[in-house]
Amino acid sequence: MNDAPPIRFDTKIAVLLREDLETWQRLNVTAFLVSGLGPEVPEVIGEPYEDADQVPYLPMFRQPVLVFEGGKETLRSAHTRALSRSLPRSVFTSDLFGTGNDRDNRAAVRAVPTGELDLVGLAVYGPRNAVDKVVKGARLHP
């Protein structure tokens, strides 16, 4: 057992999901949203894993991902706050449930003006206090 104190991060990764999504949608949206953070913000990725038999595993985020939920307006407000703070973010719109590949996903988002995006999910990374302000009004996912 490690007696070292827990690591506290000065940054936060948060995912905000629209509360009316089905379970499979929540899982799918969360996976897609967080997949964009590592390539754009490499400092969120920890070291690779290895088990006792020295079998290697891919690295994962170095810190927890907090998942929140809220209504459509909560998502819209969070998106606006994330943009105003220039925080790294990823979005998932309702249109993406009808596409089947990355090219069509990007085209579906590109076709809609920022203020008209039908957001069902948002991931954001940044300083703890800034991320807390972005997700203000949302509640932790049960």
Side-chain angles (χ1 to χ4, degrees):
M1 187 98 179
N2 187 346
D3 291 331
I7 297 172
R8 297 285 180 208
F9 297 97
D10 58 352
T11 58
K12 185 179 267 188
I13 300 170
V15 172
L16 176 56
L17 302 171
R18 203 165 74 195
E19 62 195 358
D20 61 347
L21 296 179
E22 295 182 35
T23 301
W24 75 266
Q25 292 172 317
R26 290 170 186 256
L27 295 170
N28 185 266
V29 169
T30 300
F32 270 98
L33 287 171
V34 298
S35 72
L37 289 175
E40 289 299 313
V41 190
E43 64 267 21
V44 301
I45 304 297
E47 296 296 319
Y49 286 74
E50 184 177 273
D51 66 25
D53 294 322
Q54 297 181 330
V55 174
Y57 302 95
L58 295 172
M60 297 184 283
F61 291 134
R62 65 182 179 93
Q63 65 189 89
V65 176
L66 298 172
V67 181
F68 297 85
E69 69 175 6
K72 194 171 192 168
E73 284 307 313
T74 301
L75 252 100
R76 186 183 319 274
S77 296
H79 182 243
T80 299
R81 290 191 292 264
L83 291 173
S84 72
R85 288 171 172 75
S86 300
L87 295 175
R89 66 213 163 264
S90 53
V91 296
F92 199 103
T93 66
S94 63
D95 296 331
L96 302 186
F97 290 126
T99 61
N101 62 75
D102 186 52
R103 183 188 67 241
D104 291 342
N105 286 350
R106 285 182 282 112
V109 173
R110 190 180 312 110
V112 181
T114 305
E116 296 175 25
L117 291 170
D118 185 16
L119 297 169
V120 298
L122 170 73
V124 63
Y125 169 78
R128 290 179 63 88
N129 62 344
V131 173
D132 288 343
K133 289 176 183 172
V134 167
V135 298
K136 185 178 179 177
R139 59 195 169 279
L140 275 174
H141 193 281

Coordinates of all heavy atoms in Angstrom, one line a residue, residues 65-121:
V65 N -11.9 12.0 -14.7 CA -12.8 12.7 -15.6 C -14.1 12.7 -14.8 O -14.7 11.7 -14.4 CB -13.0 11.9 -16.9 CG1 -14.1 12.6 -17.8 CG2 -11.7 11.8 -17.6
L66 N -14.6 14.0 -14.5 CA -15.9 14.1 -13.8 C -17.0 14.3 -14.9 O -16.8 15.0 -15.8 CB -15.8 15.4 -13.0 CG -14.7 15.3 -11.9 CD1 -14.6 16.6 -11.1 CD2 -15.1 14.2 -10.9
V67 N -18.0 13.5 -14.7 CA -19.1 13.5 -15.6 C -20.4 14.2 -15.0 O -20.8 13.8 -13.9 CB -19.5 12.1 -16.1 CG1 -20.6 12.1 -17.1 CG2 -18.2 11.5 -16.7
F68 N -20.9 15.2 -15.7 CA -22.0 16.0 -15.2 C -23.2 15.8 -16.2 O -23.0 15.3 -17.3 CB -21.7 17.4 -15.1 CG -20.6 17.8 -14.2 CD1 -19.3 17.7 -14.5 CD2 -20.9 18.2 -12.9 CE1 -18.2 18.0 -13.6 CE2 -19.9 18.5 -12.0 CZ -18.6 18.4 -12.4
E69 N -24.4 16.2 -15.7 CA -25.5 16.2 -16.6 C -26.3 17.5 -16.4 O -26.3 18.1 -15.3 CB -26.4 15.0 -16.4 CG -27.1 14.9 -15.1 CD -28.1 13.7 -15.0 OE1 -28.1 12.8 -15.9 OE2 -28.8 13.6 -14.0
G70 N -27.1 17.8 -17.4 CA -27.9 19.0 -17.3 C -28.8 19.1 -18.5 O -28.7 18.3 -19.4
G71 N -29.7 20.1 -18.5 CA -30.6 20.3 -19.5 C -30.0 21.0 -20.7 O -28.8 21.4 -20.7
K72 N -30.8 21.1 -21.8 CA -30.3 21.8 -23.0 C -29.8 23.2 -22.7 O -28.7 23.5 -23.3 CB -31.5 21.8 -24.0 CG -31.1 22.1 -25.4 CD -32.3 22.0 -26.3 CE -31.9 22.0 -27.7 NZ -32.9 21.5 -28.7
E73 N -30.4 24.0 -21.9 CA -29.9 25.3 -21.6 C -28.6 25.3 -20.8 O -27.8 26.2 -21.0 CB -31.0 26.1 -20.9 CG -32.1 26.6 -21.8 CD -31.6 27.3 -23.1 OE1 -30.7 28.2 -22.9 OE2 -32.0 27.0 -24.2
T74 N -28.5 24.3 -19.9 CA -27.3 24.2 -19.1 C -26.1 23.9 -20.1 O -25.0 24.5 -19.9 CB -27.4 23.0 -18.1 OG1 -28.5 23.3 -17.2 CG2 -26.1 22.9 -17.3
L75 N -26.3 23.0 -21.1 CA -25.3 22.8 -22.0 C -24.9 24.0 -22.9 O -23.8 24.3 -23.1 CB -25.7 21.6 -23.0 CG -24.9 20.3 -22.7 CD1 -25.7 19.4 -21.9 CD2 -24.5 19.7 -24.0
R76 N -26.0 24.7 -23.3 CA -25.7 25.9 -24.1 C -24.9 26.9 -23.3 O -24.0 27.5 -23.8 CB -27.1 26.5 -24.6 CG -26.9 27.7 -25.5 CD -28.2 28.3 -25.9 NE -29.3 27.4 -26.2 CZ -29.6 26.8 -27.3 NH1 -28.8 27.0 -28.4 NH2 -30.6 26.0 -27.5
S77 N -25.3 27.1 -22.0 CA -24.6 28.1 -21.2 C -23.1 27.7 -21.0 O -22.2 28.5 -21.0 CB -25.3 28.3 -19.9 OG -26.5 28.8 -20.0
A78 N -22.9 26.4 -20.7 CA -21.6 25.8 -20.5 C -20.7 26.0 -21.7 O -19.6 26.4 -21.6 CB -21.7 24.4 -20.1
H79 N -21.3 25.8 -22.9 CA -20.6 25.9 -24.1 C -20.2 27.4 -24.3 O -19.0 27.7 -24.6 CB -21.5 25.5 -25.3 CG -20.8 25.5 -26.6 ND1 -21.3 26.4 -27.6 CD2 -19.8 24.9 -27.1 CE1 -20.5 26.2 -28.7 NE2 -19.6 25.3 -28.4
T80 N -21.1 28.3 -24.0 CA -20.7 29.7 -24.2 C -19.6 30.1 -23.2 O -18.7 30.8 -23.6 CB -22.0 30.6 -23.9 OG1 -23.0 30.2 -24.9 CG2 -21.7 32.1 -23.9
R81 N -19.7 29.6 -22.0 CA -18.6 29.9 -21.0 C -17.3 29.3 -21.4 O -16.2 29.9 -21.2 CB -19.1 29.5 -19.6 CG -20.2 30.3 -19.0 CD -20.5 30.0 -17.6 NE -21.0 28.7 -17.3 CZ -22.3 28.5 -17.1 NH1 -23.2 29.4 -17.2 NH2 -22.7 27.2 -16.9
A82 N -17.3 28.1 -21.9 CA -16.1 27.4 -22.3 C -15.4 28.2 -23.5 O -14.2 28.4 -23.5 CB -16.3 26.0 -22.8
L83 N -16.3 28.7 -24.4 CA -15.7 29.5 -25.5 C -15.2 30.8 -25.0 O -14.1 31.3 -25.4 CB -16.8 29.8 -26.5 CG -17.3 28.6 -27.3 CD1 -18.6 29.0 -28.2 CD2 -16.2 28.1 -28.2
S84 N -15.9 31.5 -24.1 CA -15.4 32.8 -23.6 C -14.1 32.7 -22.8 O -13.3 33.6 -22.7 CB -16.5 33.5 -22.7 OG -16.6 32.8 -21.5
R85 N -13.8 31.5 -22.3 CA -12.6 31.3 -21.5 C -11.5 30.6 -22.4 O -10.4 30.3 -21.9 CB -12.9 30.4 -20.3 CG -13.7 31.2 -19.2 CD -14.1 30.2 -18.1 NE -14.7 31.0 -17.0 CZ -15.9 31.5 -17.0 NH1 -16.7 31.5 -18.1 NH2 -16.4 32.2 -16.0
S86 N -11.8 30.4 -23.6 CA -10.9 29.8 -24.6 C -10.3 28.4 -24.0 O -9.1 28.1 -24.2 CB -9.8 30.7 -24.9 OG -10.3 31.9 -25.5
L87 N -11.1 27.7 -23.4 CA -10.7 26.4 -22.8 C -10.7 25.3 -23.9 O -11.6 25.3 -24.8 CB -11.6 25.9 -21.7 CG -11.5 26.8 -20.4 CD1 -12.6 26.3 -19.4 CD2 -10.1 26.8 -19.8
P88 N -9.8 24.4 -23.9 CA -9.9 23.2 -24.8 C -11.2 22.5 -24.6 O -11.6 22.2 -23.5 CB -8.7 22.4 -24.5 CG -7.7 23.3 -23.7 CD -8.6 24.3 -23.0
R89 N -11.9 22.2 -25.7 CA -13.2 21.6 -25.6 C -13.5 20.7 -26.8 O -12.9 20.9 -27.9 CB -14.3 22.7 -25.5 CG -14.4 23.5 -26.8 CD -14.7 25.0 -26.6 NE -14.4 25.7 -27.8 CZ -13.3 26.4 -27.9 NH1 -12.3 26.4 -27.0 NH2 -13.0 27.0 -29.0
S90 N -14.4 19.8 -26.6 CA -15.0 19.0 -27.7 C -16.5 19.0 -27.5 O -17.0 19.2 -26.4 CB -14.4 17.6 -27.7 OG -14.5 17.0 -26.5
V91 N -17.2 18.9 -28.7 CA -18.6 18.9 -28.7 C -19.2 17.7 -29.4 O -18.5 17.1 -30.2 CB -19.2 20.1 -29.3 CG1 -18.8 21.4 -28.6 CG2 -18.8 20.2 -30.8
F92 N -20.4 17.3 -29.0 CA -21.1 16.2 -29.6 C -22.5 16.8 -29.8 O -23.1 17.2 -28.8 CB -21.1 15.0 -28.8 CG -21.5 13.7 -29.5 CD1 -20.5 12.8 -29.9 CD2 -22.8 13.4 -29.9 CE1 -20.8 11.6 -30.5 CE2 -23.1 12.3 -30.5 CZ -22.1 11.4 -30.9
T93 N -23.0 16.8 -31.0 CA -24.3 17.3 -31.3 C -25.3 16.1 -31.6 O -24.8 15.0 -32.0 CB -24.3 18.3 -32.5 OG1 -23.9 17.6 -33.7 CG2 -23.3 19.4 -32.3
S94 N -26.5 16.4 -31.6 CA -27.5 15.4 -31.8 C -27.4 14.8 -33.2 O -27.7 13.7 -33.5 CB -28.9 15.9 -31.6 OG -29.2 17.0 -32.4
D95 N -26.9 15.7 -34.2 CA -26.8 15.2 -35.6 C -25.8 14.1 -35.7 O -25.9 13.3 -36.7 CB -26.3 16.4 -36.4 CG -27.3 17.5 -36.5 OD1 -28.5 17.3 -36.4 OD2 -26.8 18.7 -36.7
L96 N -24.9 14.0 -34.8 CA -23.8 12.9 -34.9 C -24.4 11.5 -34.7 O -23.7 10.5 -35.0 CB -22.7 13.2 -34.0 CG -22.0 14.6 -34.2 CD1 -20.7 14.7 -33.3 CD2 -21.6 14.8 -35.6
F97 N -25.5 11.4 -34.1 CA -26.1 10.1 -33.9 C -26.6 9.5 -35.3 O -26.8 8.3 -35.4 CB -27.3 10.1 -32.9 CG -27.0 10.4 -31.5 CD1 -27.5 11.4 -30.8 CD2 -26.0 9.6 -30.9 CE1 -27.2 11.6 -29.5 CE2 -25.7 9.8 -29.5 CZ -26.3 10.8 -28.9
G98 N -26.7 10.4 -36.3 CA -27.2 9.9 -37.6 C -26.1 9.8 -38.6 O -26.3 9.4 -39.7
T99 N -24.8 10.0 -38.2 CA -23.7 9.8 -39.1 C -23.0 8.5 -38.8 O -23.2 7.9 -37.7 CB -22.7 11.0 -39.0 OG1 -22.2 11.0 -37.7 CG2 -23.4 12.3 -39.4
G100 N -22.1 8.1 -39.6 CA -21.5 6.8 -39.4 C -20.0 6.9 -39.5 O -19.3 5.8 -39.5
N101 N -19.4 8.1 -39.7 CA -17.9 8.1 -39.8 C -17.4 9.5 -39.5 O -18.2 10.5 -39.4 CB -17.5 7.7 -41.2 CG -18.1 8.7 -42.3 OD1 -17.6 9.8 -42.4 ND2 -19.1 8.2 -43.0
D102 N -16.1 9.6 -39.3 CA -15.5 10.9 -38.8 C -15.7 12.0 -39.8 O -16.0 13.1 -39.4 CB -14.0 10.6 -38.6 CG -13.3 11.8 -38.0 OD1 -13.8 12.3 -37.0 OD2 -12.3 12.2 -38.6
R103 N -15.6 11.7 -41.1 CA -15.8 12.8 -42.1 C -17.2 13.4 -42.0 O -17.4 14.6 -42.0 CB -15.5 12.2 -43.5 CG -15.6 13.3 -44.6 CD -15.5 12.7 -46.0 NE -16.7 11.9 -46.3 CZ -16.7 10.6 -46.6 NH1 -15.5 9.9 -46.6 NH2 -17.8 9.9 -46.8
D104 N -18.2 12.5 -42.0 CA -19.6 13.0 -41.9 C -19.9 13.7 -40.5 O -20.6 14.6 -40.5 CB -20.6 11.9 -42.1 CG -20.5 11.3 -43.5 OD1 -20.0 12.1 -44.4 OD2 -21.0 10.2 -43.7
N105 N -19.2 13.2 -39.5 CA -19.4 13.9 -38.2 C -18.9 15.3 -38.2 O -19.5 16.3 -37.8 CB -18.5 13.2 -37.1 CG -19.2 11.9 -36.6 OD1 -20.3 11.5 -37.0 ND2 -18.4 11.1 -35.9
R106 N -17.7 15.5 -38.8 CA -17.1 16.9 -38.9 C -18.0 17.8 -39.8 O -18.2 18.9 -39.5 CB -15.7 16.8 -39.4 CG -14.7 16.4 -38.2 CD -13.3 16.3 -38.6 NE -13.0 15.1 -39.4 CZ -12.7 15.1 -40.7 NH1 -12.5 16.2 -41.3 NH2 -12.5 14.0 -41.3
A107 N -18.5 17.2 -40.9 CA -19.3 18.0 -41.8 C -20.6 18.4 -41.1 O -21.1 19.5 -41.3 CB -19.6 17.1 -43.1
A108 N -21.2 17.5 -40.3 CA -22.4 17.8 -39.6 C -22.3 18.9 -38.6 O -23.1 19.8 -38.5 CB -22.9 16.5 -38.8
V109 N -21.1 19.0 -37.9 CA -20.9 20.1 -37.0 C -20.6 21.4 -37.8 O -21.1 22.5 -37.5 CB -19.7 19.8 -36.0 CG1 -19.3 21.0 -35.2 CG2 -20.1 18.6 -35.1
R110 N -19.8 21.3 -38.8 CA -19.4 22.4 -39.7 C -20.7 23.1 -40.3 O -20.7 24.3 -40.6 CB -18.5 22.0 -40.8 CG -17.8 23.2 -41.5 CD -16.8 22.7 -42.6 NE -15.9 21.8 -42.1 CZ -15.8 20.5 -42.5 NH1 -16.7 20.0 -43.4 NH2 -14.9 19.7 -42.1
A111 N -21.7 22.3 -40.5 CA -22.9 22.9 -41.2 C -23.8 23.8 -40.3 O -24.7 24.4 -40.8 CB -23.7 21.7 -41.8
V112 N -23.5 23.8 -39.0 CA -24.4 24.5 -38.1 C -23.7 25.7 -37.4 O -22.6 25.4 -36.9 CB -25.0 23.5 -37.0 CG1 -25.9 24.2 -36.1 CG2 -25.7 22.3 -37.7
P113 N -24.2 26.9 -37.4 CA -23.6 28.0 -36.7 C -23.5 27.7 -35.2 O -24.3 27.0 -34.6 CB -24.6 29.2 -36.9 CG -25.4 28.8 -38.1 CD -25.5 27.3 -38.1
T114 N -22.5 28.3 -34.6 CA -22.1 28.0 -33.2 C -23.4 28.1 -32.3 O -23.6 27.2 -31.5 CB -21.1 29.0 -32.7 OG1 -19.9 28.9 -33.6 CG2 -20.6 28.7 -31.3
G115 N -24.1 29.2 -32.4 CA -25.2 29.4 -31.5 C -26.4 28.5 -31.7 O -27.4 28.4 -31.0
E116 N -26.4 27.7 -32.9 CA -27.5 26.8 -33.2 C -27.2 25.4 -33.0 O -28.0 24.5 -33.3 CB -28.0 27.1 -34.6 CG -28.5 28.5 -34.8 CD -28.9 28.8 -36.3 OE1 -29.1 27.9 -37.0 OE2 -28.8 30.0 -36.6
L117 N -26.0 25.0 -32.5 CA -25.6 23.6 -32.3 C -26.5 23.0 -31.3 O -26.8 23.6 -30.3 CB -24.1 23.6 -31.8 CG -23.0 23.9 -32.8 CD1 -21.7 24.0 -32.0 CD2 -22.9 23.0 -33.9
D118 N -27.1 21.8 -31.7 CA -27.9 21.1 -30.8 C -27.0 20.2 -29.9 O -26.9 19.0 -30.2 CB -29.0 20.3 -31.6 CG -30.0 19.6 -30.7 OD1 -30.1 19.9 -29.5 OD2 -30.7 18.7 -31.2
L119 N -26.4 20.7 -28.9 CA -25.5 20.0 -28.1 C -26.1 18.9 -27.2 O -27.1 19.2 -26.6 CB -24.7 21.0 -27.2 CG -23.9 22.1 -27.9 CD1 -23.5 23.1 -26.9 CD2 -22.7 21.5 -28.6
V120 N -25.5 17.8 -27.3 CA -25.9 16.7 -26.3 C -24.7 16.4 -25.4 O -24.9 15.7 -24.4 CB -26.4 15.4 -27.0 CG1 -27.6 15.7 -27.8 CG2 -25.3 14.8 -27.9
G121 N -23.5 16.9 -25.7 CA -22.4 16.7 -24.9 C -21.3 17.7 -25.1 O -21.1 18.2 -26.2

